[in-house]
Amino acid sequence: MNTTIRSLLAGGAAAAILLTSSAAAEAAAAPRYRAPKIFGTSFQADPKHDFTRSPRPRHNGILRGWITHVSGGVAEYEPIRWKKGKVTEGRFVGPPEGDVRVYASPIARKVVFLSALGCGQKMTGLTVDRRTGLGSKRCSRADLIKRAQRGERPALITVHKGQIVKVQEIFTP
């Protein structure tokens, strides 16, 4: 009797270790994608995407864009480009009015949100990598959703297997 119980416990423990290690392996298996130019002056192409259908996830990779709407854990986002200014350095702009370049993806439960303006309601202080101009402070998924609901913030948005897995804000003064 004791031998049977021990073998069942050992088998259960082995299964738990196997499940835990496979989840960790899956998280580590997400490839590193090549980032676009942060201040690129053209919209990133997505030839694999069918924009005639309702908004769907972008293909795997990193998009320079901003989140335009969040509802039920699904974010709608669009590509952006840098438009040089005559008086100022410039600003980010989205597609022109009537353009259908929009994507929609669920925000992963364990999304990595790297803020350029700090976390929480107050967004006090800059949290920027001075070399790249990208956010470096890790904030929660809830902070990302609240920030997206306040307005469009330029970011590098990483999509993997149809989900947004990383959002790294681009600092603009």
Side-chain angles (χ1 to χ4, degrees), residues 17 39 58 64 84 93 101 113 122 131 161 171:
I17 290 170
F39 294 97
R58 188 175 196 281
R64 179 185 55 251
K84 294 180 181 179
V93 295
R101 278 182 274 198
F113 173 44
K122 296 182 182 182
R131 280 184 310 110
K161 294 183 179 179
F171 175 72

Side-chain angles (χ1 to χ4, degrees), residues 107 109 111 113 139-149:
I107 300 172
R109 293 219 180 274
V111 66
F113 173 44
C139 299
S140 70
R141 181 178 189 267
D143 285 335
L144 169 62
I145 292 170
K146 286 177 189 171
R147 181 89 40 95
Q149 290 171 339

Side-chain angles (χ1 to χ4, degrees), residues 43 55-56 63-71 74-80 92-97 99-105 107 144-155 157 164 167:
F43 294 113
R56 299 196 182 291
L63 174 73
R64 179 185 55 251
W66 52 35
I67 297 173
T68 57
H69 180 73
V70 178
S71 178
V74 175
E76 288 188 8
Y77 52 103
E78 63 186 19
I80 58 173
F92 282 104
V93 295
E97 189 71 32
D99 193 308
V100 295
R101 278 182 274 198
V102 66
Y103 306 96
S105 300
I107 300 172
L144 169 62
I145 292 170
K146 286 177 189 171
R147 181 89 40 95
Q149 290 171 339
R150 285 190 208 149
E152 300 162 341
R153 291 285 316 144
I157 302 168
I164 296 175
V167 176

Side-chain angles (χ1 to χ4, degrees), residues 38 113-118 123 127-128 132-137 139 143-144 147-148 151-157 167-172:
I38 296 170
F113 173 44
L114 299 172
S115 170
L117 303 171
M123 296 186 296
T127 54
V128 181
T132 63
L134 297 171
S136 61
K137 171 109 173 121
C139 299
D143 285 335
L144 169 62
R147 181 89 40 95
E152 300 162 341
R153 291 285 316 144
L156 297 181
I157 302 168
V167 176
Q168 190 169 16
E169 282 186 329
I170 301 170
F171 175 72
T172 54

Side-chain angles (χ1 to χ4, degrees), residues 25-54:
E26 184 177 324
R32 296 175 66 88
Y33 298 110
R34 185 170 176 243
K37 289 183 179 179
I38 296 170
F39 294 97
T41 56
S42 62
F43 294 113
Q44 290 172 256
D46 190 358
K48 299 175 186 175
H49 196 79
D50 182 6
F51 289 105
T52 62
R53 301 173 74 184
S54 62

